[in-house]
Amino acid sequence: MSGGNIVGNYALYWGGGVYIQGGSTVFNMTGGKITGNYTGVCGAGVVVHSYNGSAPTFNMSGGSITGNVADPKLVDTHGQGSGVYVGNGTFTMSGNSSVTGNTASRKGGGVYIESGTFTMSGNSSVSENKVIKGMSGGVCISEYGATFNVSGAPVIDNNYYYNGTTTAAERNAEVYHTKTITVTGALTD
């Protein structure tokens, strides 16, 4: 995808905008927008997932994933990874790519990595995402063997969670029971 928009789609369960699964599937995004998509469970913007076998890859070097909503009102379940959900796959952000302005009901308003690998580099950013009630408005790395790699000058900032109240608290990244986190370079506040 080098331009244009994937906009206004709806999936009851997984992947409102883009859903890539299994095999050696690769999706390259160098420009354009994945925006205004909705799902009842996970990955309103993008789902990268494999049940078994080879894991798919999503490479994002430009463009934006913005304004997507993962809300489980219809199926009474997860509401995770509104911008991006990764389950046993690879999601890579580089260049000036951005995940911004997405809303999830429970975990990872911007990006939720259940298992697999999430890599941020260059000037990529995860910002201004939110979670209505739960964990991490920006990036949420789960306990199921996820790997999070950071290098260059990426930004994870101005992400919020409400945890059932009307008062927002900044929560940019949350990691729990993760096997590997690799940071190359300095961390700044």
Side-chain angles (χ1 to χ4, degrees):
M1 177 177 181
S2 59
N5 297 316
I6 296 174
V7 60
N9 298 289
Y10 172 82
L12 183 59
Y13 292 99
W14 297 70
V18 174
Y19 185 108
I20 60 172
Q21 179 181 342
S24 56
T25 307
V26 177
F27 189 103
N28 293 314
M29 181 176 181
T30 60
K33 285 185 181 181
I34 298 173
T35 186
N37 300 290
Y38 179 91
T39 185
V41 180
C42 297
V46 174
V47 168
V48 183
H49 193 265
S50 177
Y51 288 105
N52 50 37
S54 299
T57 300
F58 191 105
N59 297 313
M60 184 180 184
S61 59
S64 63
I65 298 172
T66 184
N68 300 287
V69 177
D71 186 347
K73 289 178 184 169
L74 295 176
V75 292
D76 193 27
T77 184
H78 306 320
Q80 301 176 147
S82 181
V84 178
Y85 170 88
V86 178
N88 193 27
T90 299
F91 178 66
T92 301
M93 292 180 73
S94 62
N96 291 313
S97 59
S98 66
V99 175
T100 183
N102 300 286
T103 303
S105 60
R106 287 191 54 209
K107 297 177 184 175
V111 180
Y112 179 74
I113 309 300
E114 184 167 353
S115 61
T117 302
F118 174 39
T119 300
M120 288 184 77
S121 64
N123 294 311
S124 59
S125 64
V126 176
S127 62
E128 299 179 17
N129 300 285
K130 66 181 177 180
V131 166
I132 302 304
K133 183 177 183 181
M135 301 168 62
S136 186
V139 177
C140 187
I141 310 295
S142 86
E143 73 271 26
Y144 300 111
T147 300
F148 183 27
N149 301 309
V150 179
S151 65
V155 173
I156 303 173
D157 200 16
N158 295 319
N159 297 285
Y160 293 91
Y161 83 111
Y162 290 82
N163 203 21
T165 70
T166 57
T167 303
E170 190 167 4
R171 184 67 60 88
N172 290 308
E174 192 154 348
V175 181
Y176 57 103
H177 307 293
T178 298
K179 292 182 180 178
T180 307
I181 303 167
T182 305
V183 177
T184 304
L187 292 175
T188 60
D189 184 16

